[in-house]
């Protein structure tokens, strides 16, 4: 340990818990790390209770790790009298308090924090330096540079990433298995004919953190589950979840990644997104582990490629879109949707069983897998014309892994088509038939998936056609929607009118469905 001559204050945000960052390789008593709980971060949207507990717990454990390894850390708690509850004000206070003659931070992954820190840099009278988080495969600017003036296409980007990093390539540089993408093999419904491994869950007692949250007057929603909190909150625990996934779930992940099942909410999904998005584990780690499982013939190529595509392709792509298109992206509403968010999004109290199951699961666990988010909740909210601002805020608040860079591109882009096709080439909507095929949610539902209009008709059916009819001017020339409009045009005038009237009736009572 070298003798201190100068003092540097280094900021660590709650989603920058990278245990392997180069900052922490050597002990240095001239450096003080600053980790903060702030109402600025707990209150910019209404958060799920487990999201608050998870971030606070992960930060507590990270601070303990740093201190155990000889680093100097200031951990500013939410109820500390010195806490200004504002990022810039707190940093200015501790720069003075620690008599720091330099300030450093890792590049934040949210635009609002990046803007805040850049403004602060101009106010500080000491040198300021920003460094990479050393987490992602790409830089923030990489995607914009890759596509330039061309429209972004995830598949093209994904192939380039495979080639650049030598992942799942044969000796001659061609893709293993002769194809870049095995998505068509990853769409099977789960019929429940074999035993599912139990998910890897923890049972932490974080009652003390939940009490801290409550006493600070922080508003939240959802089940806190504080006495048996199930999410990993250290790197060691995160790696346990990853290893469990690789051994027990990855072999069947690809086949059933789009499936939904009432009794098995998580199916074969890894549930590592919280650990990834807080940076307790790295994308390169999990990708390399998955490829190793394929090389050992423990998992087939379709499952491994499907998993790799989500991490190496989709996750990096969405981050790139975020930094390329922000801040304007956050205000896009190309379909001009204005409907309010249904009240049952906060309670799960709806007669539509698919939405009841997914929303209730989300309120209980702060989690739903990608098809539940996209093709059940997101599907309905898009068909109903809910304002994308409200959808963004709900998704950002309810899911433990939701950080704006990944949430808004998936929600406003992929799910709600509010960006007009930057992320997705068509709206991801369906009638009841898709949900009935890919899940068991329709069994015993108040509504019947086969009934289009009248008593007991599933709202997804009439809302589907209402959506395409009202947005025809914007979508009629989309080559991926040709069959949709051909089918609509072949319907009789009476059938069309019945569907549109039924949809209007449902749209008039969204809170009662």
């Amino acid at each position: 340990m070298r003798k201190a001559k100068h003092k540097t204050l280094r900021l660590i945000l709650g989603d920058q818990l990278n245990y392997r960052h180069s900052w922490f390789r050597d002990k240095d008593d001239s450096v003080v790390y600053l980790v903060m709980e702030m109402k600025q971060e707990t209150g910019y949207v209404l958060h799920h209770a487990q999201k608050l507990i998870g971030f606070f717990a992960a930060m507590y454990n990270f601070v303990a790790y740093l201190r155990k390894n000889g680093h100097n850390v200031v951990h500013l708690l939410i109820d500390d009298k010195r806490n200004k509850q504002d990022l810039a004000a707190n940093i200015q206070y501790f720069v003075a308090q620690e008599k720091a003659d330099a300030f450093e931070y890792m590049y934040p992954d949210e635009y609002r924090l990046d803007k805040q820190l850049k403004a602060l840099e101009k106010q500080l009278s000491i040198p300021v330096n920003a460094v990479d988080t050393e987490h992602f495969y790409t830089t923030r600017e990489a995607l914009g540079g890759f596509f330039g003036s061309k429209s972004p296409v995830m598949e093209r980007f994904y192939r380039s990433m495979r080639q650049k990093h030598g992942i799942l390539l044969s000796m001659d540089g061609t893709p293993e298995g002769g194809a870049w993408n095995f998505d068509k093999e990853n769409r099977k419904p789960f019929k429940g004919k074999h035993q599912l491994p139990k998910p890897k869950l923890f049972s932490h007692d974080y009652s003390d953190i939940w009490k801290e949250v409550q006493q600070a007057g922080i508003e939240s929603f959802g089940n806190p589950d504080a006495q048996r909190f199930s999410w990993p909150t250290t790197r060691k625990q995160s790696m346990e979840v990853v290893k469990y996934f690789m051994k027990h779930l990855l072999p069947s992940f690809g086949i059933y990644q789009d499936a939904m099942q009432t009794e098995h909410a998580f199916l074969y999904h890894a549930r590592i997104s919280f650990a990834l998005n807080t940076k307790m584990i790295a994308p390169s780690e999990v990708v390399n582990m998955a490829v190793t499982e394929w090389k050992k013939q423990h998992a087939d190529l379709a499952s491994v490629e499907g998993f790799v595509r989500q991490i190496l392709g989709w996750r990096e792509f969405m981050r790139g879109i975020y930094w390329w298109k922000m801040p304007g992206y956050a205000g896009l509403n190309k379909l001009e949707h204005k409907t309010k968010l249904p009240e049952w999004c906060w309670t799960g109290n709806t007669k539509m069983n698919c939405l009841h199951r997914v929303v209730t699961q989300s309120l209980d666990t702060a989690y739903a897998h990608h098809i539940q988010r996209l093709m059940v909740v997101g599907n309905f909210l898009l068909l109903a014309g809910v304002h994308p601002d409200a959808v963004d805020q709900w998704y950002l608040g309810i899911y433990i892994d939701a950080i704006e860079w990944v949430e808004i591109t998936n929600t406003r882009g992929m799910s709600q088509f509010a960006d007009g096709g930057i992320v997705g080439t068509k709206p991801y909507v369906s009638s009841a038939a898709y949900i009935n095929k890919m899940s068991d949610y329709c069994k015993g539902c108040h509504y019947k998936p086969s009934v289009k209009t009248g008593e007991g008709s599933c709202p997804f059916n009439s809302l589907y056609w209402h959506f395409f009819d009202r947005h025809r001017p914007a979508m009629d020339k989309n080559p991926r929607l040709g069959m949709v409009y051909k089918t609509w045009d072949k319907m009789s005038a009476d059938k069309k009118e019945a569907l549109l009237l039924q949809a209007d009736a449902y749209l008039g009572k969204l809170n009662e469905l």
Side-chain angles (χ1 to χ4, degrees):
M1 185 179 293
R2 73 183 188 183
K3 186 177 181 180
K5 293 181 180 179
H6 304 284
K7 185 174 281 189
T8 299
L9 183 70
R10 286 178 172 173
L11 173 68
I12 303 172
L13 297 171
D15 65 341
Q16 295 179 337
L17 311 181
N18 184 352
Y19 285 67
R20 304 196 306 169
H21 195 277
S22 58
W23 268 1
F24 314 126
R25 286 177 190 160
D26 301 310
K27 292 180 285 186
D28 188 341
D29 59 8
S30 71
V31 173
V32 175
Y33 293 99
L34 178 61
V35 178
M36 299 183 288
E37 301 169 356
M38 296 179 292
K39 289 186 178 179
Q40 169 188 304
E41 295 306 290
T42 62
Y44 63 90
V45 294
L46 185 64
H47 288 291
H48 196 295
Q50 287 184 45
K51 187 176 182 183
L52 296 171
I53 294 171
F55 271 87
F56 278 22
M59 291 160 70
Y60 266 100
N61 290 329
F62 190 68
V63 168
Y65 166 82
L66 292 180
R67 286 174 174 166
K68 183 179 178 181
N69 285 274
H71 299 288
N72 301 318
V73 187
V74 173
H75 186 193
L76 186 65
L77 302 183
I78 198 75
D79 58 355
D80 193 306
K81 292 181 180 179
R82 300 171 297 173
N83 198 333
K84 316 298 182 185
Q85 308 298 344
D86 175 83
L87 180 70
N90 279 338
I91 292 170
Q92 288 174 319
Y93 174 85
F94 282 103
V95 164
Q97 185 77 5
E98 297 293 331
K99 296 183 173 61
D101 48 26
F103 173 65
E104 296 183 347
Y105 64 92
M106 299 184 211
Y107 291 118
D109 285 312
E110 293 201 38
Y111 183 84
R112 64 186 177 86
L113 294 175
D114 191 65
K115 184 179 179 181
Q116 203 172 0
L117 285 166
K118 285 178 178 176
L120 173 64
E121 186 172 344
K122 296 177 182 179
Q123 299 170 18
L124 293 175
S125 59
I126 59 175
V128 177
N129 183 46
V131 302
D132 195 83
T133 59
E134 301 174 9
H135 173 79
F136 294 96
Y137 280 97
T138 56
T139 64
R140 300 194 307 192
E141 299 78 20
L143 195 76
F146 180 80
F147 286 108
S149 60
K150 297 179 180 179
S151 298
V153 179
M154 202 285 286
E155 184 66 22
R156 183 183 160 204
F157 169 75
Y158 169 56
R159 293 183 185 187
S160 75
M161 291 291 285
R162 290 263 299 273
Q163 291 169 329
K164 179 179 180 179
H165 297 281
I167 296 172
L168 294 177
L169 296 181
S170 300
M171 294 295 290
D172 61 358
T174 59
E176 292 285 3
W180 291 101
N181 188 315
F182 292 91
D183 188 47
K184 291 182 179 179
E185 297 181 30
N186 296 341
R187 300 175 184 173
K188 293 184 179 179
F190 180 77
K191 299 298 185 181
K193 294 181 179 179
H194 54 276
Q195 189 71 28
L196 260 169
K198 293 181 179 180
K200 175 64 178 178
L201 304 176
F202 297 92
S203 187
H204 306 298
D205 187 349
Y206 284 138
S207 301
D208 53 342
I209 293 180
W210 178 233
K211 184 178 180 181
E212 176 189 352
V213 169
Q214 291 179 301
Q215 289 181 340
I218 298 170
E219 294 185 5
S220 65
F221 68 105
N223 176 15
D225 212 15
Q227 292 184 316
R228 49 186 182 88
F229 189 82
S230 64
W231 293 91
T233 56
T234 67
R235 173 171 169 78
K236 181 177 181 294
Q237 292 166 6
S238 299
M239 290 305 295
E240 287 179 29
V241 177
V242 174
K243 290 174 183 176
Y244 185 88
F245 167 73
M246 297 297 169
K247 182 178 179 180
H248 299 286
L249 305 175
L250 179 60
S252 297
F253 165 76
I255 300 171
Y256 300 115
Q257 65 175 291
D258 286 2
M260 298 171 283
Q261 221 271 345
T262 300
E263 293 184 13
H264 305 286
F266 307 137
L267 283 174
Y268 294 96
H269 289 268
R271 292 178 77 251
I272 60 173
S273 50
F274 174 65
L276 272 171
N277 292 352
T278 52
K279 302 180 180 60
M280 292 188 287
I281 55 176
S284 58
E285 288 181 286
V286 296
V287 165
N288 292 340
M289 290 171 71
V291 172
T292 297
E293 291 301 303
W294 171 71
K295 289 180 178 178
K296 291 180 178 179
Q297 298 184 336
H298 293 168
D300 66 22
L301 184 58
S303 282
V304 172
E305 186 279 319
F307 178 76
V308 168
R309 188 173 355 114
Q310 285 194 6
I311 306 297
L312 179 69
W314 192 249
R315 187 171 184 265
E316 297 284 333
F317 181 75
M318 296 307 252
R319 176 175 179 256
I321 291 287
Y322 180 80
W323 285 107
W324 187 13
K325 302 297 182 180
M326 284 292 281
Y329 196 87
L332 294 178
N333 185 7
K334 295 291 187 179
L335 298 179
E336 299 182 351
H337 283 175
K338 299 176 182 178
T339 303
K340 292 182 179 180
L341 193 74
E343 293 175 3
W344 43 257
C345 282
W346 305 104
T347 65
N349 295 330
T350 169
K351 296 188 291 291
M352 292 177 285
N353 193 49
C354 59
L355 285 156
H356 166 70
R357 292 291 181 185
V358 174
V359 173
T360 301
Q361 173 192 318
S362 301
L363 292 169
D364 284 344
T365 68
Y367 178 81
H369 69 68
H370 68 281
I371 291 298
Q372 292 175 316
R373 299 187 199 192
L374 177 67
M375 296 308 299
V376 179
V377 181
N379 183 6
F380 185 87
L381 298 180
L382 178 54
L383 293 177
V386 175
H387 198 296
D389 286 356
V391 182
D392 271 343
Q393 290 169 12
W394 185 81
Y395 273 88
L396 186 57
I398 197 168
Y399 293 119
I400 194 168
D401 54 20
I403 300 171
E404 190 184 60
W405 68 266
V406 68
E407 174 277 324
I408 197 171
T409 44
N410 273 290
T411 301
R412 191 173 291 257
M414 181 72 170
S415 173
Q416 298 303 294
F417 205 68
D419 65 1
I422 294 173
V423 169
T425 55
K426 68 167 186 171
Y428 279 83
V429 291
S430 75
S431 64
Y434 176 84
I435 297 172
N436 191 32
K437 174 187 175 183
M438 297 306 298
S439 77
D440 62 353
Y441 295 152
C442 296
K443 295 177 182 177
C445 182
H446 173 80
Y447 301 101
K448 306 302 178 187
S450 60
V451 180
K452 307 297 190 295
T453 59
E455 186 70 23
S457 63
C458 178
F460 278 93
N461 291 328
S462 56
L463 289 178
Y464 176 83
W465 291 112
H466 192 282
F467 172 84
F468 281 111
D469 180 69
R470 73 180 186 266
H471 288 305
R472 186 159 195 166
M475 299 184 189
D476 201 16
K477 295 181 181 180
N478 187 319
R480 297 194 66 189
L481 300 176
M483 288 302 298
V484 173
Y485 284 111
K486 284 183 180 179
T487 302
W488 177 243
D489 290 340
K490 288 179 181 179
M491 291 184 193
S492 67
D494 289 346
K495 187 174 183 180
K496 286 182 180 179
E497 183 181 12
L499 284 165
L500 296 177
L501 288 173
Q502 181 65 75
D504 283 333
Y506 283 145
L507 289 170
K509 57 175 185 178
L510 289 179
N511 293 326
E512 302 170 28
L513 294 181

